[in-house]
Every structure is written in structure tokens, then in C-alpha cells.
């Protein structure tokens, strides 16, 4: 009779602290898909980037917050859906408490990442933004029109794109934790 392996630990156990979160980490591992879909809304990847100096990819309000809390890196990817683009930024910190402080102190915002057919967007016009946190990661989105028109509070499509990007970022971070949890059961250290 063979004993069954124990269930994997919760994914949050691996993503809550840099000492335990040891899987390879890059824009390629976080944004490892050319497309993502949320409730039938499909987005196509146009560009991804890593900023070792997190403030380089953030406007004045967010940059000092990231610097003050020793942001390790800021991974960004832009996805496009029709006339909209959303840049997702995932920032790394040493632990959950630090990422939670960043979320609490959040001030707009992330610098949109143009490229791959998406022009420079959300630089001089109003766009829709989000900020959230899970484990040692704070994540941000900025979404707007690629034609340069503003995306004010009545722009429900841009608001939805920002939220979809946020949902995707959360799912990717949690998947990172799940993969590490499953690996720990297969090959305990």
C-alpha cells in the first residue's frame, strides 16, 4: 500500500516572502502568454519590459513610494484589445507587509509601455488605473485609448481593460505560487 503525498501548501506561502519565493522571475515568466482573456474579452501582448530601478517606470507619485519600500524590480507588459491598450506592472518587494504598505500609499501611476504597434499612450491624457497587492507583489494597471483621446470616468471600456489587466496580474502571481507549491510536494527540500 502506497501512501499518498500530502496536499501542496497554500500558494500564498510561496509568494509572501522573497526568502521562499525562489522560482525564476522575469517579465517572461510573469507574462508568459501572448494573449489573455477575461470573460470573453481577448487581449494580445504587444511588449514586455523589466525596470531594475522601479521609479524609472513610474510617474512622480508612484516612483518615490516604490523607492522608499525598496522595490526589487518592476515588470511591465502591454496588451491591446481593439482601440484600447493596458499596461500591467508587477512590482516585487521582500515581503507581504511591504507590498501592502505600497498598495496603501499608492499614488498614480505606472508609465504606460508603448511598442509592438501600440503608440505612446496615457502620457498627457486621463486614463483609467488600478492598484492592488497579493503576497510580496504590488501590481498596477493603466489603460486608455491608443488614439490619444482621454479615458475619463465615463469610459467604461478603458475601466474594464484596467480591471481585466489587474485580474490577469493577480492570476499570474497566484499561479506562480501554485507552481512552487506543487513542486515542493514532488521534490521536497
Amino acid at each position: 500500500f502506497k501512501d499518498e503525498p500530502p496536499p501542496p501548501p497554500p500558494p500564498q506561502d510561496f509568494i509572501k516572502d522573497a526568502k521562499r519565493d525562489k522560482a525564476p522571475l522575469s517579465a517572461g515568466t510573469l507574462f508568459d502568454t501572448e494573449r489573455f482573456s477575461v470573460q470573453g474579452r481577448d487581449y494580445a501582448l504587444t511588449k514586455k519590459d523589466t525596470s531594475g530601478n522601479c521609479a524609472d517606470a513610474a510617474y512622480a507619485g508612484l516612483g518615490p513610494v516604490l523607492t522608499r519600500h525598496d522595490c526589487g524590480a518592476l515588470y511591465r507588459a502591454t496588451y491591446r484589445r481593439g482601440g484600447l491598450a493596458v499596461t500591467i506592472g508587477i512590482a516585487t518587494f521582500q515581503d507581504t507587509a511591504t507590498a501592502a504598505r505600497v498598495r496603501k500609499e499608492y499614488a498614480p501611476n505606472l508609465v504606460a509601455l508603448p511598442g509592438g504597434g501600440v503608440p505612446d499612450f496615457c502620457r498627457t491624457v486621463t486614463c483609467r488605473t488600478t492598484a492592488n497587492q497579493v503576497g510580496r507583489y504590488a501590481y498596477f494597471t493603466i489603460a486608455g485609448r491608443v488614439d490619444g483621446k482621454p479615458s475619463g470616468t465615463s469610459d467604461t471600456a478603458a475601466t474594464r481593460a484596467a480591471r481585466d489587466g489587474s485580474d490577469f496580474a493577480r492570476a499570474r502571481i497566484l499561479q506562480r505560487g501554485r507552481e512552487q507549491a506543487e513542486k515542493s510536494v514532488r521534490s521536497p527540500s
Side-chain angles (χ1 to χ4, degrees):
F1 176 57
K2 190 176 183 183
D3 288 332
E4 290 197 25
Q12 289 83 349
D13 285 1
F14 290 88
I15 60 172
K16 68 182 180 181
D17 190 295
K19 292 177 190 134
R20 187 126 191 235
D21 188 5
K22 295 296 185 185
L25 183 59
S26 68
T29 61
L30 288 171
F31 305 110
D32 67 345
T33 179
E34 295 295 313
R35 304 183 94 59
F36 78 88
S37 182
V38 175
Q39 296 183 354
R41 294 181 295 276
D42 296 321
Y43 296 84
L45 178 69
T46 63
K47 186 165 183 177
K48 48 188 160 184
D49 181 51
T50 301
S51 296
N53 178 353
C54 300
D56 288 347
Y59 287 116
L62 179 59
V65 173
L66 297 174
T67 300
R68 183 170 50 254
H69 293 292
D70 296 321
C71 176
L74 180 57
Y75 304 97
R76 292 182 299 160
T78 295
Y79 289 84
R80 183 175 184 160
R81 180 173 190 269
L84 295 169
V86 57
T87 294
I88 303 163
I90 300 176
T92 62
F93 299 93
Q94 285 300 307
D95 54 42
T96 298
T98 304
R101 282 192 298 275
V102 168
R103 167 59 185 102
K104 186 177 178 183
E105 295 174 25
Y106 160 78
N109 191 17
L110 187 67
V111 173
L113 179 64
V118 171
D120 205 1
F121 69 106
C122 293
R123 296 281 179 164
T124 60
V125 297
T126 303
C127 285
R128 309 314 318 143
T129 63
T130 67
N132 216 321
Q133 171 267 330
V134 63
R136 70 185 195 100
Y137 299 88
Y139 54 99
F140 314 94
T141 64
I142 184 165
R145 305 267 163 198
V146 296
D147 64 5
K149 292 183 180 172
S151 294
T153 55
S154 64
D155 190 337
T156 56
T159 300
R160 188 170 39 247
R163 288 181 182 154
D164 288 350
S166 183
D167 290 347
F168 177 66
R170 181 177 181 79
R172 291 300 307 137
I173 296 164
L174 290 173
Q175 180 61 31
R176 177 180 173 76
R178 271 192 295 282
E179 289 168 359
Q180 291 180 85
E182 290 167 6
K183 185 177 179 185
S184 76
V185 172
R186 290 192 303 269
S187 57
S189 42

